[in-house]
Amino acid sequence: AQRVTQPEKLLSVFKGAPVELKCNYSYSGSPELFWYVQYSRQRLQLLLRHISRESIKGFTADLNKGETSFHLKKPFAQEEDSAMYYCALITGNQFYFGTGTSLTVIP
Amino acid sequence: GAVVSQHPSWVICKSGTSVKIECRSLDFQATTMFWYRQFPKQSLMLMATSNEGSKATYEQGVEKDKFLINHASLTLSTLTVTSAHPEDSSFYICSAILRTGRNGYTFGSGTRLTVV
């Protein structure tokens, strides 16, 4: 069963506009959720994790257990935010990744 | 920061040949490494967990005789795709657990394998 769902494969927004990348998960226990980002020709890297409740590069993500969601948000998109974003759920040592959302920020 | 170096970044091989992919932890010891595969437009899927000094643990549906994993040292794990076929063409990526730091996992840059 698909543990992590990212419904949008492609997302385009204008520079300065708010952006939200959706992520829904399926897990009965206490989830540990991450957002990873892959910029063009670079390796996959951690963007943020829900337990630290931090904001990285202006991005935030709130875990909503009622809706089983972990959407990634940024109030004002920048061109350098264009990248591939993966939502991930970890259970034990196993990652479950979403299929990714390709974000394009239009100048 | 801790880096996992994966080599090669891309490889093209003929059907029936074997290809070895290396994953090295450059400035830390990785007792456990993970190998993932990603087909186009699909999620990263865990193939196996590689433990230093012991046999790898394969996920269901992954052929252990086809995808040979060796983790002979604390800094190197290798994945060998044996008798490769075009359907093995994929993006392979390794990951290692860090024991300290906020990022518990770090990823290699991936290997794009094309079997012709």
Side-chain angles (χ1 to χ4, degrees), chain A residues 21-95:
Chain A
L21 291 87
K22 292 184 169 54
C23 172
N24 289 90
Y25 67 91
S26 174
Y27 182 58
S28 58
S30 294
E32 188 174 356
L33 289 153
F34 303 78
W35 275 98
Y36 281 85
V37 59
Q38 188 171 28
Y39 299 103
S40 179
R41 300 179 185 177
Q42 295 186 29
R43 67 185 67 219
L44 201 62
Q45 57 185 293
L46 178 66
L47 182 60
L48 56 80
R49 53 195 304 180
H50 90 273
I51 61 173
S52 59
R53 300 187 65 79
E54 58 199 341
S55 173
I56 304 296
K57 298 184 180 181
F59 284 98
T60 58
D62 291 319
L63 174 61
N64 186 322
K65 291 187 177 180
E67 296 181 358
T68 61
S69 68
F70 188 55
H71 303 327
L72 183 68
K73 300 177 183 179
K74 185 170 183 176
F76 307 103
Q78 303 298 316
E79 290 180 63
E80 55 265 28
D81 296 329
S82 295
M84 193 74 176
Y85 292 81
Y86 294 93
C87 181
L89 165 72
I90 184 171
T91 63
N93 281 337
Q94 183 159 352
F95 271 105

Side-chain angles (χ1 to χ4, degrees), chain A residues 43 49 54 90 95 97-98, chain B residues 4 36 38 43 102 105 107:
Chain A
R43 67 185 67 219
R49 53 195 304 180
E54 58 199 341
I90 184 171
F95 271 105
F97 285 90
Chain B
V4 171
Y36 293 85
Q38 184 177 37
S43 292
R102 74 176 182 88
Y105 299 81
F107 289 84

